[in-house]
Amino acid sequence: MSITLTAGKNSAITLMRASVYSGEPIIFPTDTIYGIGAPISSISANRRVYEIKRRPQDQPMPLLIGAWEQLEIVAADVSTNVMTWLKNAWHPSSPVRYTAIMKAAPWLDPLYTKDSAVAVRMAALPWLAEAIAELGLPVTATSVNVSGEPPLNTPEEIAARFLPECRYMLWGEPGGGRASTIVDLTCKDTRIIRT
């Protein structure tokens, strides 16, 4: 049976906790497009994302954080220059949403890393950022689609295609309508991977 709630802080926290308990991921709107993911503490829920999307296991999912303190959970050796760049790039008023590839924290599960790096973005939707911050852990967020197909971005088409295969969904509107720009911050010079 599927559970669909209206997107908001309290409903997000409810489904995030249910996700950890049940090992099932959540479909939810983000500041870019609709995403599917789960708190990083639930390896089983995040493995289900790969199954639902038919996503190759060697493609780690980006992580969403809700507060600056959570960056320390997932990234290592964040320099002053990188932090300055991130504070500008992740400012809520920024017209572009950036996902940053950074050196992964050594304790982060290998499911979330590739070549010792992790992809991270600060959630810009206030209710989502507050929910992730209150949860205390980042959550994964990848596009809602079968890998190789275009992302779905309206709740109606997503529900028709992915429920009840995915048990939990937050019903709302994403913030931007397009995927984030991916920037590699692991090298000396900032490199844009996807616009």
Side-chain angles (χ1 to χ4, degrees), residues 25-28 34-38 49 52-53 61 140-144 166:
I26 313 159
I27 293 171
F28 57 97
Y34 248 94
I36 180 172
V49 176
I52 291 168
K53 284 177 56 83
M61 294 175 286
T140 56
T142 182
S143 58
V144 184
C166 184

Side-chain angles (χ1 to χ4, degrees), residues 37-54:
I40 63 170
S41 59
S42 181
I43 298 297
S44 57
N46 280 294
R47 290 197 187 282
R48 277 286 295 141
V49 176
Y50 284 91
E51 293 171 8
I52 291 168
K53 284 177 56 83
R54 301 183 200 59

Side-chain angles (χ1 to χ4, degrees), residues 1-6 14-15 18 22 24-27 36 48 52 155 158-171:
M1 181 178 105
S2 297
I3 298 174
T4 301
L5 302 176
T6 302
T14 296
L15 290 190
S22 67
E24 294 289 335
I26 313 159
I27 293 171
I36 180 172
R48 277 286 295 141
I52 291 168
I158 289 168
R161 172 63 182 83
F162 286 98
L163 298 183
E165 190 174 9
C166 184
R167 288 179 56 192
Y168 305 128
M169 181 171 176
L170 290 171
W171 194 280

Side-chain angles (χ1 to χ4, degrees), residues 43-135:
I43 298 297
S44 57
N46 280 294
R47 290 197 187 282
R48 277 286 295 141
V49 176
Y50 284 91
E51 293 171 8
I52 291 168
K53 284 177 56 83
R54 301 183 200 59
R55 184 181 177 96
Q57 291 284 334
D58 64 348
Q59 293 180 9
M61 294 175 286
L63 307 182
L64 285 180
I65 61 173
W68 288 102
E69 299 77 37
Q70 291 181 328
L71 189 60
E72 299 172 8
I73 297 173
V74 297
D77 302 330
V78 182
S79 69
T80 303
N81 287 343
V82 166
M83 185 60 79
T84 300
W85 189 90
L86 289 173
K87 289 200 171 180
N88 286 321
W90 287 348
H91 192 276
S93 65
S94 174
V96 179
R97 301 268 67 91
Y98 289 98
T99 296
I101 296 177
M102 308 174 72
K103 183 177 178 184
W107 50 80
L108 198 60
D109 192 280
L111 182 68
Y112 308 120
T113 68
K114 183 173 184 177
D115 301 327
S116 301
V118 61
V120 188
R121 189 169 91 247
M122 177 75 77
L125 286 179
W127 63 264
L128 183 57
E130 290 168 13
I132 296 170
E134 190 165 319
L135 184 71

